[in-house]
Amino acid sequence: MKDEMSDESANAGMVGMAHEMADDRALAARAAGHGAAVAMPGAKPILEVDRLRMYFPVKSPGLFRRTVGQVQAVDGVSFQVAEATSLGLVGESGCGKSTTGRLITRLYKPTGGAIRFEGQDIADAKPAELKPLRREIQMIFQDPYTSLNPRQTVGSIVGAPLAIHKVLPKDKILPRVQELLEIVGLNPEHYNRYPHEFSGGQRQRIGIARALTLQPKLLVADEPVSALDVSIQAQVINLLQDIQNEFGVAFLFIAHDLAIVRHFCPEIAVMYLGKIVEIGDRDSIYSNAHHPYTQALLSAVPDVKQAASGSRIERIRLQGDVPSPIEPPSGCRFRTRCPIAQEICARHEPPLLQIGKRHKVACHFPGRLGQAPREPLTAGLLGVDSEGRPDPGASPSTDLVEQPGYADTWFDLDNKSIGRA
Amino acid sequence: MLAYVIRRAVAGVIMLIVMSIVTFALFFASPIDQASFICGKNCSPAQKQQTAAAMGYDDSFINQWWDFAEGVVKGRDYPDDPKLRETAPETIVHCEAPCMGYSRERGDTVTNLIKDTFPVSFSLAVAAFILWIAGGVLLGVTAALKKGSIIDRGLVGLSLIAYAFPTFFVGLILYKFVAIKWGLADIPRYTSIADGGVGGWLSSLALPAITLAVFFMAGYVRMTRSYVIESFQEDYVRTARSKGLPERTVTFKHALRAALTPIVTMAGLDFAGLMGGAIITESVFNYPGMGKLAVRASQDFDLPTTVGLVILLAAFVIAANIIVDLLYAVIDPRVRLG
Amino acid sequence: MGSAAAPLLSVRELEVHFPTSDGLVKAVNGLTFDLEAGKTLGIVGESGSGKSVSSMAIMGLHRGTNAKISGEIVLDGVNLLDISAEEMRKKRGREVSMIFQDPLSAMHPYYTVGNQIAEAYRVHNDVSKKVAKQRAVEMLERVGIPNPDKRVNDYPHQFSGGMRQRAMIAMGLINDPNLLIADEPTTALDVTVQAQILDLLQDLQREFNSAVIIITHDLGVVAEMADDVLVMYAGRAVEHGPCKEILTHPEMPYTWGLLSSVPDLTGDTEARLIPIPGNPPSLLNPPPGCPFHPRCAHRDKVPGDLCRTELPLLVPGQRGETHTKRCHLPNPDAIYATEVLPEIAPDLAAGAAPTRAEEL
Ligand SMILES: Nc1ncnc2c1ncn2[C@@H]1O[C@H](COP(=O)(O)OP(=O)(O)OP(=O)(O)O)[C@@H](O)[C@H]1O
Ligand SMILES: Nc1ncnc2c1ncn2[C@@H]1O[C@H](COP(=O)(O)OP(=O)(O)OP(=O)(O)O)[C@@H](O)[C@H]1O
Ligand code: SF4
Ligand code: SF4
Ligand SMILES: [Mg+2]
Ligand SMILES: [Mg+2]
C-alpha cells in the first residue's frame, strides 16, 4: 500500500521535471506522497482529528427560514494530540478555534471528518455512546463569569459530574470535592459558597476543578486565561501545568495569545479562516515559521523585551481584516491579506505540506521571512503551471490527503532533498 | 422590501387559514347543538333537521369551513337552498363577499355587524392609543431623566397604583362621578363624526378612552423609564458626551432614539389587540363596539359572530406584526429584511 | 529635563470616590502626573485599578453623577475641575477627546459612521452639514478606510472591528485635540489588527502633535507606544517614569510582578511563570500601609512593619528625578538585578542582548 503511493507520487514528480524548479516539486510531491502517518515517537496519540469539518447553516430571517449560506467555521482540519502533552491552537477571532474544541468535546456534531479518541471514532457517536466519553474529555471555558451556574454552590458544581456518572457513593462526594478544590488552590472549606463570592481567577479555578472531577485524559481549554488579569493568568497557567505533570492530562489549548501558547504547548497549530495553515513543534513555529500568516502574527505581537531593548524585528503590516467565513476567498484563504500572494494562490488551495520532522505548512511559497521561493513549490503536486493554470503535461499527485500526524520523510526546503527521521 | 412584505403577507394569510380551521374545529367540537339552539325550545326533530340542513349544520365540519371560506371570497346565500331560491327568494339573505357568516341571533350578516361596531372600537383604540403613548412615553422619559428624584418616585408610585386598579373600576368611577354625579363631562354615548362632527366624536370618546389609556399608560411609564435608563448606560451615550455634544442632543438624539425602539413594537401589538374591541371598557360605558358584540355573541352562543370576530382579531394582530417588523427595519439599520 | 514650559496636562492629587450602598469606593487616590504636548503616557494596571475612572475624570464625564472628585486637572493652564459644565462640554471633543475599548458598542447603531463623525465636528465648528460630512470623509481617508466617500454612509455594524476603531480614531481627532485618551483601544481586536491600529495612532500623533494617554493592561503595547509609563495599583500611581527606564529598571515589586507574570516570545519555556499571588484589593477597605503588601513577596526586606502600617510616598528612587515609585524598599535595583531579572530574563541578567532564538 505504502509503496504504491510512493510510486504514484514519484510519477507525479517525474512529470513535474519538465518544468524549471522541477526538482523542488518532485521532491515535494514525493515527500507528500508518504501519507502514512507516524505518531510522535514514544508518545501515542490520544486524539486524532482527521479532516474535520463544521459548516453552520446561515438562515434567512422570518417564518420560512431557508438556508441561504454556510459558515465554514472549520474546514478540513487534521492534527494529533499525544498523551500527556499539549497542542496549542492559535489564530485570530472567528478562525474556528472554539468550534474545533466544541467538536472534539462533541458539543457540536461535525459536518464531516473523524475524531478518533483513543482510536475510536466519536464523530458520529450517539448521545448514549457519548456518556462514557464525557468522563474522558472535559472542557474549560473562557468566561469564568458565565460558565458557572450562579445558583449552585461550588460544591455542587464540582461534584455534579460525580453524581451524574454515579462514580462515587453520595457520602464520598464531598471529600472528593474538597480534595479537588485543594488541588486547584482553593480553600476546601469554601465548598458551600456561591460563584459570585469568588474573584475571576478563583472562578476559573472552580471551572478547572469541575473539569478535573472525573479524571479526564484530555482537557479542551478554550481561552482559559483570556478573561483574566495578567497577574492572575500566570497563576492559572501554572496550575494547568501542574495538573498536566501530576495527572498526565493531554491538553488542546486554545488561545489567541501567542506568547502564552508558546509557553504552554510544545506543539502548535496556527489556524486561519477554518483551516490549519501551519502546524509544528514550538521551534518550527516560533523560530522557523514558513507561512506568511504565522510570520505576520508573530511580528504583530507587542513584546516588552524587544521594545525595551530596541531590538524590535520589523513588523509585517497586514492589510485589512479577516474575510467572512461564509464566502471565504478562493484558493488560499489568506491571499486577500498575504503580502506575497500570486496568481496560483487565487486558483488553488495550497496543500498542507510536511517540510520538517514535525513541521507542516500550507502555502504555495513556503519559506522563512524574506526567503520565500520565487516559484510555487506546489505546482507539480497539483499538476498546474506556476500561475496555477492546468498543465496538460502534468498529472497531479493523487495523494494530497492531509494526514493527522507526521510522516517519517518530508521535503527539506533548505537542502532541496527528502528529509528523513 | 416589497418581496419581504409579500412573503410576510402570504405567510400571514396561511396563518389566518389555519387559525380559522382551528377556530371552526373548536366550535364544531363544542357541546352546544346549534340547530336546536336556533330552532328554539319547542322544536320537533323534523324541524330541527330542517334548520340544520338550512344552516348547513348537517354537513361535515371541513365542508362547513369550506363554505365559509368560499363565502369570504365570493359571498354566499343564507340559507343556501336552490329550491327556496325559486319558491321564496325573499326569505334568502344574500351575504356579500367578504362574507364572514350570518348571525341568526342578530338577523344580520357578521360583516354588517362588524361594519357597525368596528368604527366604535377603532375610534376608542385610536383615542386611547394617542393618550397613553403621549402620556406614557413623556412621563416615562421624565421619570428616567429625573431618576431618583421626587418626581421619579412619584410617577413610579402613581403608575403602580394605576396599574393595580382594574379597568372596570376606573371606568365606573369616571362614569358615575365625573359624568353623572359631577356632570363634568357628557354622559358618554358614542357619536360618529358623521353625526356629531369631530368635536362631538372626540368628546364622546373622552371618558372611555381615558379609562382605557390609564391602564396602558401605567405600564408604558414604567417600561419607557427602564428602557431610557438602560440606554443612558450604553457606551454610545458616553461617546456622545465625550464628543462634547450638549446634553439635550445626547438625550434626544442618542439615548432616546434607541430606547424608543422596543416601545414601538409593544405599542403596535397593543394597538392591534385593542382594535378587536376593548371588552371591559365598552361594557362599562355601554359602547356598541366589537368588544361588546363579542361579549354578547358568546353569551348567546352566537357562533358565526364569534368566529368572525376571532378571525378578524387574528388578522389585525398578524398585520400589526408585519407593520411593526417593517417599522423596526426603518428605525434600526441593523435589522435586515429578507 | 526641567523644561520651563508648563506641561500640557497636569494632574495633581486627583481623587475619585463613589458613594455606594456598600460604602465609599475609593477608585482613584492621590493621582499625580504631568504630560507634555506630543508625548505619550501609558497607564497600566490590573482591572479595577482606576485607569478608566481617572481618564473619565479628565474628560469630565463624572459630572452629573454622584462621584466625588477632588484635586486638580490642569489642561493648558485651566483647571478642569473649576470650570462650569458648559465650559467643560466645549472642551470635550475639541481640546481633549477619547476613544474606547469596544468600538461596536461605543458607536450608535442607528446612525451612519459619517453622521457620528460629522456630528463631532459640527458641535465645535459652525459649519454646514455638507462641510462637516466632507470633513468626515477626509478623516476616514486619513485613518485608512478604503472608499471613504462611500463608507461614510455605512452603519457601524457594516464595518469590521478594526475599521470601527479607525472610525473612532477619526472621530476623536477630527477637531485636532491637544490630548487624546485611548482607553484600551486595541483590547477587543486581533493582534494583526491591533498592530495596524497602534501604527496608525503613532502616525497620527506625529502628524497632529497631540499628547496621548494610552490605557492598557498589556505591557507590550505600552512598550511600543509610550514615552512615559504610569503603573497603577488600587487607585494609586505606584511607579512612574520614562518607558524604557521602567521596563528595564523597575523599582516596585508590583511592576516586577507584572513583568514576570507574562511570558514573552523569546523566553525560556522551561521556566515557570511567576504570578503575583492573591487577588487585587478591595477598594472599599483598601489594606493599610502599602496597598500591595498582602501580595508582596519582598515586604520582609523592609525594616520593621513599615509596609503594613505606612503608605509609601511616590518619590524618586536611585535612578534620577524622573523615575518615581511608591515603595519602602531601600535597594530595589539590587533586588531586581539579583532576584527578579534572573527569573524573568536570564539572558538579560547575564548581560547578553536578547535575540530571537534562531537555532533549534
Ligand atoms: N453556533 C454557530 N452558528 C453559526 N455560526 C457559528 C456558530 N458558532 C461559531 N460560528 C461561526 O464560526 C466561525 C468560527 O467561530 P469560533 O467561535 O470557532 O471562532 P474562534 O476562533 O473561537 O474565535 P474567537 O477567538 O473569537 O473565540 C465564526 O465565524 C463564527 O461566527
Ligand atoms: N460609578 C461607579 N460607582 C461605583 N464604583 C465604580 C464606579 N465606576 C467605577 N467604579 C469602581 O472603580 C474601580 C476602578 O474602575 P476602573 O473602571 O477605573 O478600572 P480600570 O482600571 O479601568 O479596569 P479595567 O482594566 O477593568 O477597565 C473599580 O473597582 C470599579 O468597580
Ligand atoms: S498560498 Fe499564496 S496567498 Fe496563501 S499564504 Fe502562501 S503565498 Fe500567501
Ligand atoms: S512598600 Fe513594601 S509591600 Fe509595598 S511594594 Fe514595597 S516592599 Fe512591597
Ligand atoms: Mg473562541
Ligand atoms: Mg477600564
Side-chain angles (χ1 to χ4, degrees), chain A residues 277 290-293 330-346 348-351 361-366 372 378:
Chain A
V277 295
H290 272 60
H291 196 284
Y293 179 61
S330 65
C332 173
R333 293 189 172 184
F334 183 54
R335 73 175 161 85
T336 50
R337 302 172 78 202
C338 179
I340 59 167
Q342 299 196 18
E343 266 194 88
I344 186 174
C345 305
H348 295 280
E349 190 187 323
V361 62
C363 174
H364 294 300
F365 302 92
T378 48

Side-chain angles (χ1 to χ4, degrees), chain A residues 9-272:
Chain A
S9 39
N11 188 22
M14 297 296 280
V15 182
M17 277 306 175
H19 301 269
E20 68 251 298
M21 295 290 291
D23 47 345
D24 273 17
R25 292 183 199 155
L27 286 165
R30 268 183 13 230
H34 290 275
V38 185
M40 193 186 291
K44 69 177 205 288
I46 187 166
L47 175 75
E48 197 169 68
V49 169
D50 194 354
R51 281 161 282 171
L52 191 61
R53 279 186 301 129
M54 183 71 208
Y55 293 177
F56 293 107
V58 181
K59 302 266 189 185
S60 66
L63 191 65
F64 308 112
R65 295 171 54 80
R66 291 164 303 153
T67 301
V68 291
Q70 282 177 326
V71 181
Q72 305 182 6
V74 173
D75 194 16
V77 159
S78 303
F79 58 78
Q80 284 181 342
V81 182
E83 257 175 355
T85 65
S86 307
L87 174 75
L89 212 52
V90 297
E92 290 178 289
S93 184
C95 69
K97 307 182 294 292
S98 300
T99 307
T100 307
R102 286 163 172 269
L103 286 169
I104 287 163
T105 44
R106 277 302 313 275
L107 293 172
Y108 296 147
K109 187 170 174 350
T111 311
I115 306 167
R116 285 186 284 275
F117 180 73
E118 298 192 308
Q120 179 202 353
D121 188 356
I122 58 170
D124 296 317
K126 298 190 177 56
E129 299 163 347
L130 282 174
K131 200 176 172 200
L133 206 82
R134 301 239 182 266
R135 296 180 55 173
E136 313 271 8
I137 309 179
Q138 286 284 328
M139 190 148 180
I140 303 172
F141 296 93
Q142 166 172 0
D143 192 344
Y145 295 89
T146 55
S147 59
L148 302 176
N149 183 345
R151 275 179 289 275
Q152 283 192 335
T153 62
V154 169
S156 57
I157 290 173
V158 175
L162 292 172
I164 293 170
H165 289 269
K166 303 197 180 66
V167 248
L168 284 181
K170 276 230 170 67
D171 55 324
K172 294 269 166 50
I173 290 185
L174 182 58
R176 172 76 181 137
V177 165
Q178 293 190 316
E179 191 188 329
L180 284 163
L181 291 180
E182 184 113 51
I183 290 174
V184 298
L186 293 172
N187 187 340
E189 298 306 313
H190 290 171
Y191 67 90
N192 53 2
R193 296 201 175 175
Y194 289 87
H196 71 88
E197 296 175 64
F198 294 87
S199 71
Q202 288 172 326
R203 276 185 245 201
Q204 197 57 292
R205 287 167 191 270
I206 298 169
I208 294 169
R210 173 178 60 183
L212 286 178
T213 313
L214 295 170
Q215 296 172 306
K217 295 193 180 124
L218 174 69
L219 271 175
V220 175
D222 189 358
E223 313 245 8
V225 296
S226 307
L228 305 176
D229 259 316
V230 275
S231 71
I232 313 293
Q233 275 185 9
Q235 297 175 5
V236 172
I237 292 289
N238 285 352
L239 170 66
L240 292 178
Q241 276 183 333
D242 293 344
I243 285 168
Q244 178 160 58
N245 294 337
E246 193 160 333
F247 303 105
V249 190
F251 274 88
L252 179 68
F253 188 91
I254 299 172
H256 59 255
D257 185 328
L258 288 147
I260 286 188
V261 171
R262 177 177 178 275
H263 179 81
F264 195 84
C265 306
E267 297 253 342
I268 293 97
V270 182
M271 284 185 77
Y272 188 80

Side-chain angles (χ1 to χ4, degrees), chain C residues 161-176:
Chain C
M163 283 162 66
R164 275 181 219 126
Q165 198 56 292
R166 284 170 193 271
M168 281 299 287
I169 293 174
M171 193 189 292
L173 290 179
I174 197 163
N175 293 306
D176 194 1

Side-chain angles (χ1 to χ4, degrees), chain B residues 84-245:
Chain B
L84 203 61
R85 206 170 284 145
E86 280 163 24
T87 54
E90 68 283 353
T91 58
I92 291 182
V93 181
H94 179 67
C95 170
E96 273 173 43
C99 177
M100 305 281 287
Y102 176 76
S103 165
R104 179 57 58 122
E105 279 296 305
R106 289 177 221 310
D108 204 346
T109 63
V110 175
T111 316
N112 279 343
L113 290 173
I114 289 172
K115 268 190 199 142
D116 291 344
T117 52
F118 176 72
V120 179
S121 292
F122 182 74
S123 305
L124 193 54
V126 170
F129 181 75
I130 292 170
L131 276 178
W132 100 63
I133 290 296
V137 172
L138 271 182
L139 295 179
V141 170
T142 313
L145 295 182
K146 307 261 178 227
K147 194 180 111 189
S149 69
I150 296 280
I151 299 179
D152 176 32
R153 271 176 283 170
L155 281 171
V156 170
L158 270 180
S159 71
L160 259 177
I161 295 171
Y163 201 71
F165 273 118
T167 304
F168 74 86
F169 182 72
V170 176
L172 279 179
I173 288 194
L174 285 180
Y175 192 77
K176 291 264 152 68
F177 287 86
V178 178
I180 296 178
K181 196 153 177 199
W182 301 332
L184 293 178
D186 293 339
I187 292 179
R189 178 163 296 122
Y190 179 71
T191 322
S192 69
I193 297 185
D195 291 344
V198 177
W201 176 69
L202 274 181
S203 80
S204 79
L205 284 172
L207 287 189
I210 290 172
T211 308
L212 202 49
V214 161
F215 172 78
F216 282 99
M217 201 154 98
Y220 274 66
V221 167
R222 290 190 304 150
M223 188 170 76
T224 309
R225 177 181 179 274
S226 69
Y227 281 131
V228 173
I229 288 177
E230 204 175 286
S231 85
F232 268 99
Q233 315 284 333
E234 296 283 353
D235 281 0
Y236 51 76
V237 170
R238 188 182 55 185
T239 308
R241 287 212 177 97
S242 71
K243 284 195 259 193
L245 295 180

Side-chain angles (χ1 to χ4, degrees), chain C residues 44-279:
Chain C
V44 285
E46 286 174 283
S47 187
S49 56
K51 309 183 294 291
S52 299
V53 167
S54 31
S55 56
M56 306 240 305
I58 299 172
M59 289 291 292
L61 289 175
H62 295 303
R63 283 166 187 265
T65 71
N66 60 352
K68 299 215 176 337
I69 306 189
S70 63
E72 266 182 31
I73 302 173
V74 181
L75 179 72
D76 256 342
V78 180
N79 185 354
L80 301 182
L81 296 181
D82 283 347
I83 60 179
S84 73
E86 182 59 16
E87 282 168 318
M88 185 66 228
R89 176 184 78 69
K90 288 198 175 131
K91 287 185 184 293
R92 241 183 259 147
R94 198 179 51 167
E95 288 181 35
V96 46
S97 62
M98 187 156 178
I99 57 181
F100 300 96
Q101 170 171 348
D102 181 359
L104 181 59
S105 62
M107 295 187 117
H108 202 295
Y110 294 177
Y111 298 104
T112 62
V113 172
N115 181 328
Q116 299 185 52
I117 297 177
E119 183 182 50
Y121 190 61
R122 265 177 56 113
V123 67
H124 298 296
N125 298 278
D126 187 18
V127 294
S128 70
K129 278 199 170 149
K130 215 173 135 210
V131 172
K133 186 164 172 192
Q134 194 46 47
R135 181 95 177 101
V137 174
E138 282 165 29
M139 280 312 287
L140 283 178
E141 168 130 54
R142 182 60 200 85
V143 296
I145 303 277
N147 298 327
D149 46 333
K150 296 209 179 59
R151 304 306 302 256
V152 73
N153 296 321
D154 278 0
Y155 290 93
H157 72 273
Q158 293 167 304
F159 273 29
S160 70
M163 283 162 66
R164 275 181 219 126
Q165 198 56 292
R166 284 170 193 271
M168 281 299 287
I169 293 174
M171 193 189 292
L173 290 179
I174 197 163
N175 293 306
D176 194 1
N178 299 327
L179 174 62
L180 177 71
I181 305 177
D183 190 352
E184 316 230 9
T186 57
T187 309
L189 305 176
D190 281 318
V191 265
T192 59
V193 181
Q194 161 168 299
Q196 294 169 1
I197 298 292
L198 294 182
D199 278 351
L200 175 69
L201 271 177
Q202 266 172 336
D203 288 353
L204 290 171
Q205 174 176 27
R206 249 173 258 133
E207 189 178 319
F208 290 79
N209 196 33
S210 325
V212 172
I213 296 180
I214 184 159
I215 296 175
T216 172
H217 55 251
D218 185 342
L219 280 169
V221 170
V222 162
E224 302 217 337
M225 298 288 294
D227 300 302
D228 284 345
V229 181
L230 181 89
V231 182
M232 284 190 79
Y233 188 78
R236 293 182 191 280
V238 292
E239 188 156 14
H240 183 197
C243 180
K244 204 167 166 192
E245 168 72 23
I246 299 269
L247 293 178
T248 52
H249 294 93
E251 297 201 319
M252 154 85 195
Y254 176 64
T255 316
W256 298 346
L258 283 183
L259 284 165
S260 65
S261 54
V262 286
D264 63 47
L265 281 179
T266 51
D268 176 11
T269 51
E270 293 304 309
R272 268 174 87 79
L273 301 176
I274 311 154
I276 305 173
N279 290 298

